[in-house]
Amino acid sequence: MDLGIRGKKGIVCAASKGLGRGCAEALAAAGVDLVIAARGAEALEATAEDLRKAGVTITPVQCDITTPEGLADVLAAAGAQVDILVTNAGGPPPGLWSDWAREDFLKAIDANMLTPIALMQAVLPGMMARGWGRVVNITSASVKAPIGVLGLSNTSRAGLTGFVAGTARQVAGKGVTINNLLPGIHATDRAVALDQGVVRAQNISYEEAQAQRMASIPAGRYGSPAEFGAACAFLCSTHAGFIVGQNILLDGGATNLSL
Ligand code: NAP
């Protein structure tokens, strides 16, 4: 399917690995020129080189997207025209409700709520003026079904979800859509870190922790960054203009909601 977005300009945050990279790959394959960001230079440059094989312009920006400086660097590299924005950052660490102090909450809220909100506030006026735009926020299945050990993630992503619910409906009339993609477990470094947490908490092997988690997913496997990226690219396509303000689960059926 031609996604109809060849020649568009986009930003994909936290894109050197994992789900962000999956989104960048799918958008580059659809012909979108991209600014991609990550903290580590080596993986970022390697990803940029791979993405360029699709024949698009890739501008890597080495930065921490959760800082004001990183955010400013990414927006400066993107310039005046941003048609597509994919927000993303690393997820907060797992723990117990009693582990976290004010600073831990502020860090999580900065990364997974205030940074995506600031990016949207920066690019939405231009998208609305041009009459076309797509925003996809990578959040988490924990938005629909909060996960006990991920209290920092639950807290910050709930705030972002609330902001999007209102904002998406305020900008839709100008041809701009905002949606959230909610990953369940995908085979990335983040999943490895989560499984290692189970190894420590339950004193079991890594293989046992993985098998236990897979047994909780009706699809019987972890998702892949490529299929996550394909869903993101579709939401960014010309075909998805009537999908507005949705929270879309990609979790192999793990979250069983009737509505
Ligand atoms: P990942 O495999 O750990 O990849 C994270 C990517 O983001 C890397 O490219 C990393 O590069 C970059 N990054 C992290 N923090 C950054 C920052 N502050 N500034 C710029 N770049 C940053 O993670 P993932 O699995 O793709 O997860 C992406 C998001 O989805 C996370 O918020 C995660 O919590 C959420 N999620 C993932 C899953 C899953 O199963 N994978 C499930 C639910 C939710 P550098 O480290 O070099 O910066």
Side-chain angles (χ1 to χ4, degrees):
M1 181 191 283
D2 180 356
L3 297 182
I5 50 179
R6 187 163 298 282
K8 299 277 189 201
K9 314 284 178 207
I11 296 173
V12 184
C13 303
S16 66
K17 298 178 192 166
L19 303 181
R21 176 171 172 147
C23 295
E25 283 177 358
L27 289 170
V32 180
D33 295 328
L34 294 173
V35 172
I36 60 169
R39 294 164 302 183
E42 202 177 323
L44 182 67
E45 291 299 335
T47 297
E49 214 39 54
D50 285 346
L51 295 176
R52 287 185 188 113
K53 291 174 188 154
V56 292
T57 301
I58 303 295
T59 308
V61 177
Q62 186 195 353
C63 70
D64 181 341
I65 191 64
T66 70
T67 63
E69 300 75 24
L71 198 130
D73 287 351
V74 165
L75 290 172
Q81 185 177 344
V82 178
D83 306 303
I84 292 170
L85 168 67
V86 180
T87 74
N88 186 27
L96 281 178
W97 62 274
S98 48
D99 290 343
W100 303 309
R102 177 177 166 78
E103 281 311 308
D104 302 303
F105 284 105
L106 291 179
K107 200 169 170 208
I109 288 169
D110 262 339
N112 301 116
M113 176 184 162
L114 295 180
T115 296
I117 289 175
L119 284 161
M120 282 185 267
Q121 287 176 323
V123 303
L124 285 173
M127 290 178 173
M128 293 166 77
R130 290 186 296 276
W132 198 94
R134 297 285 185 265
V135 179
V136 173
N137 299 295
I138 300 179
T139 67
S140 171
S142 68
V143 168
K144 297 260 187 190
I147 299 164
V149 295
L150 293 180
L152 291 174
S153 172
N154 300 336
T155 305
S156 52
R157 298 189 201 276
L160 174 61
T161 305
F163 176 83
V164 167
T167 305
R169 288 160 178 92
Q170 290 166 348
V171 303
K174 299 288 185 190
V176 178
T177 71
I178 312 177
N179 292 286
N180 301 325
L181 274 184
L182 283 50
I185 293 299
H186 284 71
T188 70
D189 290 352
R190 172 74 172 170
V192 172
L194 291 176
D195 285 339
Q196 281 166 344
V198 174
V199 167
R200 286 191 296 276
Q202 298 183 17
N203 199 21
I204 57 178
S205 72
Y206 182 73
E207 290 68 29
E208 285 169 325
Q210 253 196 342
Q212 182 176 295
R213 199 188 294 278
M214 274 185 200
S216 73
I217 304 172
R221 64 178 178 86
Y222 291 180
S224 75
E227 59 195 344
F228 189 91
C232 174
F234 179 76
L235 283 179
C236 295
S237 75
T238 51
H239 311 295
F242 209 50
I243 304 177
V244 170
Q246 298 303 302
N247 291 288
I248 299 168
L249 277 168
L250 280 84
D251 71 345
T255 312
N256 189 352
L257 300 168
S258 59
L259 294 174

